[in-house]
Amino acid sequence: MPAYRPEEIEKKWQAHWKAHRTFRTENHSDKPKYYVLDMFPYPSGAGLHVGHPLGYIASDIVTRYKRLRGFNVLHPMGFDSFGLPAEQYAIQTGQHPALTTEKNIETYVQQLSSLGFSYDWSREVRTSDASYYKWTQWIFLKLFNSWYNLDTNKAEPLTELTARFAATGSEGIRAAGDDGDRLSFSAGQWALFSEKQKLAAVLPYRLAYQQDTYVNWCPGLGTVLSNDEVKDGLSERGGFPVERRLMPQWNLRITAYADRLLQGLDQLDWPDAVKEMQRNWIGKSIGAEVTFPVQGSETAQIKVYTTRVDTIYGATFLVLAPEHELVDELTTPGQRAAVDEYIAATKRRSERDRMTDVKAVSGVFTGAYAQNPVNGAPVPIWLADYVLAGYGTGAVMAVPSGDQRDYLFAKHFNLPIPAISDAQQGLDQQADPTKEGRYINSGIINGLTYKEATQKLIAFLEEKGLGKGKVNFRQRDAIFGRQRYWGEPIPIYYKDGTAYGIAEADLPLVLPEIDEYKPTETGEPPLGRAQDWLYKGKYPYELSTMPGWAGSSWYYLRYMDPTNEARFVSEEAEHYWGSVDLYMGGAEHATGHLLYARFWYLFLKDLGLVSSNEPFQKLINQGMILGRSNFVYRANLSFTYTPKPGRSVEINPEAIPTLFVTKSLADSFLSEDAAKKSAAIEAILSWYNNRISSLLNKYPDAVFHATTAEDLSITPLHVDVSIVENDLLDMQAFQKWRPDYRFAEFIPEENGTYVSGWEVEKMSKAKFNVVNPNDLIGKYGADALRLYEMFLGPLEQYKPWNTNGISGVSGFLKKLWRLFHPEDGALAVTDEPATPAELKVLHKAIQKAQEDIEKFSFNTSVSLFMITVNELTALKCHKRAILEPLVLLVSPYAPHLAEELWQELGHEPGSISTAGYPEFREEFLVEDTVTYPLAINGKVREQMQFAAAATAAEIETAVLASDFLAKHGEGKSAKKVIVVPGRMVNVVV
C-alpha cells in the first residue's frame, strides 16, 4: 500500500456511503433513539467557508459516536431556501429565484458531502419546495382558525369559540389579546349578525390576524424588513433607507404564549445566556395600567403601563411614541410644524436604533396636557422616539427622579424633577430609582413604604375606574407578512374585503409565475403582477408572502417523515423521535428562530399534534471561527505630472506604479521612534526619486510633481489570503489579482520577500479572508480539516483561523497511518498479544475520548489522539488488539481514514458505523508499582519504588532495611515511620 493519500480514500468512501445509503435511518428500531439536528443553512451563492462547518463537524462526531454506542440516530440536513438575497438577484438579473437557489444548493450539497458528514440525505427538505410549504401553509391555517382560551390556557379551534357565541354571546370569554378591539354582544345579537359581521367579530380572537402595524418599510427593496435586517437606518442588504410605516400586516399572536415560553426555559438544557436573552425579550413585568385623561377633551385619554405606580406623584410629563394614534388629535396648531418635522425624522430611524441610542436626547412638545389621575395636576404631553408604538401602550409616564432616561429628557428640556422618597439621593446629578424609604410629596401615600404605597394606589385607581393591576410583557406579536415574491404564499383570499382561509384540500397555494420580481408600478407587492391569480377563478389572493422564519419554525418535524403526503408528520414517526436531543447552531437565533420554533411547537401541542413539551432539549451554540486577515501596505505617493510649456505628453499608465512596502518598513514609518520613522521615509522617498529620474528620462516633455515627507502616508489594505503563505505575499499573484494592481511595485525585505501584516477578525468576503474548504480538502483532505476545526479550541468559544496550523494535523494522520503501514509500506498489523504498556495507552484513550464526547469537549480529544499515536509509535506497536479499537475511537473524527483502515483489518466495507464502541476496562490502568517520596521529618530526600499492593508494614520494613536512614538521618534513630498509602513515607527521627 502506498503512502496515505486522503484524496483517493475520501472520494472512495463518500461514493460508498452514497451508493449503499449507509446513513439511512428507519423510523422504528429496538435501539434507543437519538435526534441530532443542525440549524439548516440558507444556500447563498458564496457557498461555505471554513467557519461554517464547525457546528456540522461537531454534530457529526456526536452522531457517529452515538451510532457506535448503539443508538438509532436521526441526523438530517436540508435548506432554508426562501429568502431575500435570491429575490434581489432575480430583480437584478431577471432569473427566477428558484434557478439561483437550485444552483446554490448543488454547491452546498457538494461541499457538505466532501466533508464526510453522515447525513441521511433521503430526508432532505427545502422550504421552497411546494411539497414542503404546503404544510407551512397548513399550519398557518390552523393558527388562522384558532384562538387562545385563557381559562384552559391553550389554543382551541375557532369553532368552539363561535359555539359559545351562539350559546351565551361574548360575555365571560377570556381570550388572549386586546379586549378593547372586541365587540360585546349577546347570543341573540350573534344570531342576527351577517357572515361578514361574524367574521369581523371573530378577527380580534384569531391567533393569525390582520392589523395595521408599524413596520420597517424599505422602498428600495419594496418590502418590510425585520429589525435584524436594518442597520443604522439602512437595509443590511443594499444599504437602502428604511422608514417606519403603518401598514396592514398579518401577525401571529405569540404573546398568548409568553408565560409558557418563559416557564419552559427552566426545563431546557440550553446555554444560560440564550435562556436569559429569551427571558429579557419576553420581558414579563407586574405593574399597573393607568389612565391619564386629556385636558380639554371629553373622550381622549392616554393609557400607560408602569411597573412603578408608586412613583405616579413624580410623573411630571408624559412621553408618547411619535406614531401614537392620538398625536394628530393632541397636537396644537402652534406645535404642528415642529411635531410634523419630528415625526418625519423618526420615520428614518429603525426601532433598534431608537431602543439602543441612550445618549442622544430628542423630543417635541405637543402643546397638550393630560391630568394626573391621583391629584388632578396638569401633565405636559411630549413625543420622543425612545418610546415605541408597539411596546405596551406606546406611552410612558415619565418620572425623572426615578428613571435615568426620563431624567436626561427632563434636564434637556428643563422640566421639573421633584423628589418622591426620603431615601432618594443625588438628584442634582442623576435619577435614583430606590424603593427604600418612605414617600414624600406624594399625596395619599405620604409616609408609606413601597409595598404599602403600591397596594393603596392600585386600589384607589381601580375604585375610581382610572387604572388596574396588570401583568405585562415586553414581547409583541410577530409580524408575519413580507411584501416580496420569494416566500411562501399566505393561503388567504378576500371576498368583499374580508379575509378567508383557502380550503385545506386546495393546498399548496403555489407561487405563480410573474414577469418581474419587484413591486408593481402602483406599489403592490410583486405577487400583484400575477395574471389571473384568483381563488376559484374569482377571489383575489393575499399578495404578501410569509417571512423567512416560517419554514424554519417546524422543519425538524418534517425530517421525521419527509415524504408523507397525507400529514405534516405521521403520529408514529413523531411519537418515536419526540423532541430533538441535540441542536447545534448559532446564538444569533436566540430571539428569532428559536423563539418562533418554540411558539409553533406549543401551538401544535395544544392541537394534540406533537407529543413532547419542547422541540429542542439540548442546545449548543458553536463559537465563531474568526478569519486571519492579511494586509499589504500602500505608500501614498503623488505621481502627478504636467506637460512642459508648449509641449504635449501622454504617459503610459504602466510607467506610474502603485508602491507597496513590506511590513517592517510600514511598522518603522508608523513607529513613534523618530530614527526608525526617518529611515523609513528616506527609503520610500529614495525609491520615489529614482522612479522620478527614470520617468524624466523616458518622458522629457513632462514635469513631475514630487511627494514630500509631509505628504507621505501609508494605508494598510486587505489582501486575498489565498495569495499569502506564512504571511509572505506572492507578489506576482498579487499583480494578477486585480487589474488596478497590475503595475504594482514593492519595497521588500532585505532577503527579497514581502511580509504582509495580519489581524484576526470576522471572516468576510469584503476582507478577503474567507478560506474555501474545498481548497483545504484538495490539499490536506477532509479528515484533516475536520480534526483541525475541532483542534482550534473549545466548541463554544470564538477562535482564530490560521491555515498554517492544518499541516500539523495532516502530519498526525500520516503518523496514524504508519502505525498500520510502517514506512508507508504494506499493512503490517500483527495478532500478537498486547503488552501492559500498550493496553494502558489504549484504555487511557478510550476513557478520555468517551468522557470528552459526552462533554462535547472535542478539542481535547484531538490532542488525546495525537498523544496516543505518539506513545504507540514509541512502543513500536502494530498489534490488532490495540489498533482496531483505536480506529473505532478515531472514526467519528476522521471517518474516511477509519473506514479504510477498518476494511484493511478485514471487516466488511462500510461496517464501522455499526461496530460497537470500544469498552473501557479500568484494570489496564492499575499501576504495578508506586513511587513514594521518602522524607526525614517532613523534608523529602529521595524516592523509592514499591509494589502497588504493598502494605504499610511491608513499606516500613523495606525503608528501614535500606540505607536511607544512614544517608539522611544524621546518625539518629527512627522514632516513627508514617506511611501514607500511595502518597509518601515520612521517617521521624
Side-chain angles (χ1 to χ4, degrees), residues 497-570:
T498 298
Y500 290 78
I502 71 173
E504 291 181 8
D506 293 327
L507 296 176
L509 173 58
V510 179
L511 271 175
E513 295 293 329
I514 57 177
D515 58 347
E516 288 186 274
Y517 305 103
K518 58 186 180 182
T520 68
E521 288 71 17
T522 56
E524 290 181 315
L527 286 179
R529 296 178 176 276
Q531 297 296 313
D532 302 320
W533 195 50
L534 301 168
Y535 187 57
K536 304 294 186 184
K538 55 182 178 178
Y539 301 116
Y541 284 114
E542 168 63 49
L543 298 182
S544 297
T545 52
M546 297 186 193
W549 55 265
S552 63
S553 292
W554 73 281
Y555 74 111
Y556 55 94
L557 293 168
R558 190 62 177 172
Y559 279 144
M560 300 175 184
D561 196 14
T563 59
N564 194 324
E565 295 181 3
R567 207 171 185 272
F568 75 110
V569 58
S570 71

Side-chain angles (χ1 to χ4, degrees), residues 91 95 205 251 285 290 451 488 647 758 819 825 882 989:
I91 292 171
Q95 187 178 69
Y205 292 85
N251 294 263
S285 59
V290 183
K451 188 174 181 180
E488 300 93 335
R647 308 284 180 88
W758 64 272
L819 285 176
I882 301 298
V989 297

Side-chain angles (χ1 to χ4, degrees), residues 25-56:
T25 306
E26 298 299 331
N27 282 349
H28 48 80
S29 174
D30 294 334
K31 300 176 180 179
K33 72 92 183 178
Y34 196 83
Y35 187 174
V36 182
L37 181 66
D38 295 310
M39 288 186 185
F40 65 167
Y42 172 77
S44 70
L48 298 172
H49 62 61
V50 294
H52 292 132
L54 180 69
Y56 301 155

Side-chain angles (χ1 to χ4, degrees), residues 172-223:
I173 292 177
R174 297 177 63 248
D178 189 348
D179 289 337
D181 295 334
R182 294 169 180 154
L183 298 175
S184 178
F185 50 84
S186 65
Q189 289 172 313
W190 172 260
L192 296 174
F193 282 174
S194 66
E195 178 186 352
K196 189 169 184 175
Q197 288 174 317
K198 287 181 176 179
L199 289 172
V202 165
L203 178 62
Y205 292 85
R206 294 184 188 273
L207 290 183
Y209 64 95
Q210 275 183 310
Q211 180 176 298
D212 285 346
T213 305
Y214 279 96
V215 296
N216 299 315
W217 172 249
C218 179
L221 295 176
T223 189

Side-chain angles (χ1 to χ4, degrees), residues 597-903:
R598 294 182 62 219
F599 159 45
W600 278 40
Y601 193 87
L602 291 176
F603 170 68
L604 294 172
K605 173 80 171 178
D606 287 348
L607 299 190
L609 299 172
V610 293
S611 56
S612 298
N613 293 321
E614 287 278 346
F616 317 120
Q617 283 305 307
K618 182 172 183 63
L619 173 71
I620 293 180
N621 297 135
Q622 78 274 10
M624 185 183 293
I625 289 184
L626 301 172
R628 193 176 191 275
S629 301
N630 283 109
F631 298 89
V632 290
Y633 300 92
R634 185 183 66 203
N636 300 312
L637 302 168
S638 177
F639 271 100
T640 57
Y641 67 92
T642 56
K644 288 181 178 178
R647 308 284 180 88
S648 64
V649 65
E650 194 170 315
I651 296 179
N652 188 333
E654 184 176 354
I656 304 179
T658 305
L659 175 65
F660 293 90
V661 301
T662 190
K663 183 178 186 300
S664 61
L665 195 58
D667 288 344
S668 296
F669 178 84
L670 300 170
S671 171
E672 295 181 2
D673 186 315
K676 285 184 177 180
K677 186 177 183 71
S678 178
I681 292 172
E682 184 178 347
I684 295 170
L685 291 181
S686 175
W687 179 95
Y688 177 74
N689 290 328
N690 288 336
R691 174 57 67 184
I692 292 283
S693 297
S694 65
L695 288 172
L696 286 171
N697 292 332
K698 192 169 184 178
Y699 300 98
D701 292 337
V703 176
F704 289 88
H705 305 285
T707 288
T708 65
E710 290 74 21
D711 297 329
L712 186 61
S713 64
I714 287 180
T715 302
L717 301 170
H718 283 92
V719 63
D720 192 332
V721 295
S722 68
I723 58 176
V724 179
E725 187 165 354
N726 292 322
D727 297 330
L728 298 181
L729 176 71
D730 184 332
M731 290 177 275
Q732 288 184 331
F734 178 77
Q735 290 170 324
K736 296 175 183 177
W737 176 45
R738 283 170 43 173
D740 49 326
Y741 294 156
R742 192 166 41 139
F743 307 127
E745 293 192 21
F746 307 89
I747 301 182
E749 302 287 339
E750 290 183 3
N751 62 4
T753 62
Y754 185 101
V755 177
S756 65
W758 64 272
E759 184 176 316
V760 173
E761 52 189 347
K762 183 178 179 180
M763 276 197 182
S764 163
K765 286 194 295 182
K767 301 179 190 300
F768 306 110
N769 63 355
V770 169
V771 180
N772 190 323
N774 291 7
D775 297 338
L776 296 179
I777 290 170
K779 189 171 183 179
Y780 299 102
D783 285 342
L785 180 57
R786 288 169 63 110
L787 282 162
Y788 183 56
E789 293 219 3
M790 294 297 98
F791 186 60
L792 284 172
L795 180 63
E796 295 90 346
Q797 291 183 8
Y798 280 40
K799 35 206 168 280
W801 177 266
N802 185 352
T803 299
N804 302 332
I806 196 172
S807 58
V809 175
S810 176
F812 155 71
L813 290 173
K814 292 173 183 175
K815 202 166 188 177
L816 173 61
W817 175 265
R818 290 180 189 128
L819 285 176
F820 298 78
H821 298 272
E823 299 180 1
D824 292 332
L827 184 71
V829 176
T830 72
D831 290 323
E832 296 176 62
T835 66
E838 292 166 341
L839 288 167
K840 181 179 178 182
V841 170
L842 172 66
H843 284 270
K844 273 168 52 181
I846 294 172
Q847 182 186 38
K848 184 75 165 61
Q850 181 175 326
E851 290 175 353
D852 284 349
I853 292 186
E854 296 286 357
K855 293 187 300 184
F856 307 100
S857 178
F858 307 107
N859 60 310
T860 51
S861 280
V862 178
S863 299
L864 165 74
F865 296 146
M866 292 176 174
I867 293 168
T868 301
V869 168
N870 284 339
E871 290 179 345
L872 293 177
T873 300
L875 292 170
K876 294 183 171 54
C877 176
H878 306 293
K879 298 169 183 175
R880 176 184 297 274
I882 301 298
L883 299 187
E884 193 166 273
L886 180 62
V887 171
L888 291 168
L889 286 186
V890 173
S891 65
Y893 294 80
H896 307 90
L897 177 55
E899 287 276 22
E900 183 70 17
L901 295 174
W902 190 252
Q903 182 184 24

Side-chain angles (χ1 to χ4, degrees), residues 410-446:
K411 279 286 189 182
H412 187 81
F413 291 106
N414 199 28
L415 298 168
I417 308 174
I420 51 173
S421 168
D422 61 12
Q424 285 180 315
Q425 298 179 357
L427 292 183
D428 57 333
Q429 299 293 322
Q430 61 185 9
D432 182 356
T434 183
K435 296 179 182 178
E436 303 300 322
R438 296 180 180 272
Y439 291 90
I440 59 174
N441 304 321
S442 296
I444 63 173
I445 60 169
N446 275 336

